[in-house]
Amino acid sequence: MMGRRVTLKEVAKEADVSPATVSLVLNNKPSRIAKDTQQRIRDIARRLNYVVNENARGLVTNETRLIALIVPDIENMFFAALARNLEDECQEAGYALFLSNSNDNRAHESAMMTNYLARDIDGMFLIPSLETYNHAHELNVQIADAHCPVTIIDRLVTSHVCDGVGFDNVQGGRLAAKRLLEARHRRFVCISGQPHDANSNNRVCGFVDVLHGHGIDDDDILLLSGDYRYDGGYGLAARVVEFGATGLFCCNDLMAMGVLERFGEMGVDVPHDISVVGYDNIMRRFGMLSNLTTVEQDVHKLAVRSWETLYRRIRRHGTGKECARADWVTLLEPRLVEGATVAVRR
């Protein structure tokens, strides 16, 4: 049988103070209560196994301390690592994080948003599905009707009704191109993600723009789509070799892993036959691709800035101020991480 919940009044009686005093101390509210009294109250609460009643506190503070996170694909290592880092940030601030997976489907995403908003959450993180790029107006309406702040992360589908935090993907593509040009390569393949993914398209644009700026003709650039999947990179490796490229840019590390696996089977020497640059630098967290030259998106930095952005809105909302559905878009700078997969062209 479960034990009876100890009440705040019982803690107050044991400490010989008022329930209001106990509430101030255990909820970490500013007060003039003596430090020794505060410590005595906390010690008694701990000894009695007192647990704050979140439902009751929520009625008083109008807060549930619950945050929702909707990701497109939890099996994607980047999103999995980001979710873990966001949870750490929320927990450190005293919030719990609920996580759901939309399977990159707008209908699922919309249903989950509706479900979470019905639970009176304090805020929401959303990494939109790929389908949402074609339904941006629908998402705008749903966010505008939300009772709590929403922060979009990574896939900045909309910037008109809420804050967004992501990386500068154009700059990331530029970094990859510059690194391969520095190694004196003159014929290139770029393997992108899905055709309607703006992040991938921006990486490609940055990559190609720098190549054009250094006199590389379109005849020496081949663009392929690998769907951000391991199999996509693996299956396109032969096309890269057939094209005669010596410089390869993969728009995520998972496709780079597939390409490198197939190159090994084909007897292609990386980096001396073909140099390879990936994107994300997420695989190192899982003990893989430690030697890959890649463009890093720091998931910890992304999580910290995303939480700071959402929490700022929650504080404003909690004080009765307008939720301020402005377009505060933050673009973080990616950086190139050197590995052993790029060498000077022979």
Side-chain angles (χ1 to χ4, degrees):
M1 179 179 296
M2 295 180 61
R4 181 180 64 82
R5 179 191 289 269
V6 175
T7 68
L8 185 143
K9 289 183 178 180
E10 289 175 305
V11 175
K13 182 178 180 180
E14 181 80 11
D16 195 24
V17 296
S18 70
T21 298
V22 173
S23 179
L24 286 171
V25 171
L26 297 185
N27 286 295
N28 297 314
K29 298 295 183 181
S31 70
R32 297 181 179 179
I33 301 169
K35 289 185 178 181
D36 58 341
T37 301
Q38 292 187 39
Q39 188 60 51
R40 187 173 79 256
I41 290 170
R42 292 192 179 95
D43 290 343
I44 291 172
R46 190 178 301 110
R47 176 166 54 81
L48 296 178
N49 293 319
Y50 173 76
V51 178
V52 176
N53 187 325
E54 295 291 347
N55 290 331
R57 181 167 69 177
L59 291 173
V60 175
T61 64
N62 200 29
E63 292 181 337
T64 61
R65 298 231 161 219
L66 301 177
I67 305 295
L69 167 61
I70 301 175
V71 301
D73 179 8
I74 195 59
E75 291 185 343
N76 181 301
M77 291 181 177
F78 180 79
F79 297 137
L82 178 58
R84 172 62 185 271
N85 278 266
L86 285 171
E87 183 177 38
D88 289 345
E89 294 302 310
C90 290
Q91 287 183 346
E92 186 173 339
Y95 288 77
L97 184 71
F98 289 159
L99 171 64
S100 290
N101 184 64
S102 71
N103 293 319
D104 256 328
N105 180 282
R106 172 56 192 159
H108 291 171
E109 175 183 283
S110 177
M112 282 184 285
M113 289 180 69
T114 300
N115 188 6
Y116 278 131
L117 291 170
R119 297 173 182 268
D120 290 328
I121 57 174
D122 288 340
M124 177 182 292
F125 292 120
L126 172 65
I127 307 172
S129 69
L130 287 175
E131 289 186 0
T132 304
Y133 282 107
N134 296 322
H135 300 276
H137 176 71
E138 179 185 319
L139 176 62
N140 286 345
V141 172
Q142 195 166 17
I143 292 175
D145 289 340
H147 64 77
C148 68
V150 178
T151 294
I152 288 181
I153 306 176
D154 185 50
R155 296 175 177 174
L156 305 181
V157 173
T158 179
S159 61
H160 302 294
V161 294
C162 69
D163 298 326
V165 184
F167 280 92
D168 187 337
N169 288 284
V170 173
Q171 177 62 14
R174 294 176 66 86
L175 290 173
K178 289 177 180 179
R179 182 65 188 94
L180 291 171
L181 286 167
E182 287 171 358
R184 294 187 284 191
H185 294 279
R186 303 296 294 177
R187 193 164 174 83
F188 304 88
V189 171
C190 176
I191 302 180
S192 66
Q194 297 187 8
H196 52 291
D197 181 348
N199 285 355
S200 176
N201 291 339
N202 285 336
R203 293 169 195 174
V204 174
C205 285
F207 183 74
V208 172
D209 181 62
V210 169
L211 296 184
H212 285 166
H214 284 76
I216 306 298
D217 295 329
D218 285 336
D219 290 344
D220 291 315
I221 305 171
L222 177 63
L223 304 181
L224 301 172
S225 177
D227 201 30
Y228 276 151
R229 305 289 182 179
Y230 171 91
D231 290 343
Y234 184 93
L236 292 172
R239 293 277 303 279
V240 177
V241 174
E242 290 168 4
F243 184 69
T246 62
L248 171 63
F249 172 42
C250 296
C251 285
N252 80 344
D253 288 348
L254 197 57
M255 292 188 298
M257 177 184 283
V259 168
L260 291 171
E261 178 71 19
R262 183 60 181 140
F263 279 170
E265 295 171 356
M266 297 170 65
V268 176
D269 187 333
V270 176
H272 297 107
D273 294 334
I274 300 177
S275 290
V276 180
V277 177
Y279 206 101
D280 285 338
N281 195 33
I282 200 66
M283 309 296 280
R284 279 181 173 85
R285 297 176 62 91
F286 300 91
M288 296 177 283
L289 295 185
S290 59
N291 290 325
L292 178 66
T293 298
T294 187
V295 178
E296 180 179 72
Q297 299 189 110
D298 188 329
V299 291
H300 176 69
K301 182 185 295 184
L302 181 59
V304 169
R305 187 62 62 86
S306 297
W307 172 246
E308 289 174 350
T309 300
L310 183 64
Y311 187 68
R312 179 179 64 238
R313 294 297 188 197
I314 291 173
R315 291 297 91 201
R316 286 177 59 88
H317 194 51
T319 57
K321 296 180 181 179
E322 175 61 32
C323 195
R325 307 183 187 282
D327 52 341
W328 289 11
V329 175
T330 301
L331 287 182
L332 305 174
E333 289 293 315
R335 71 183 186 98
L336 187 80
V337 176
E338 290 286 357
T341 56
V342 174
V344 176
R345 182 187 175 196
R346 294 173 178 174

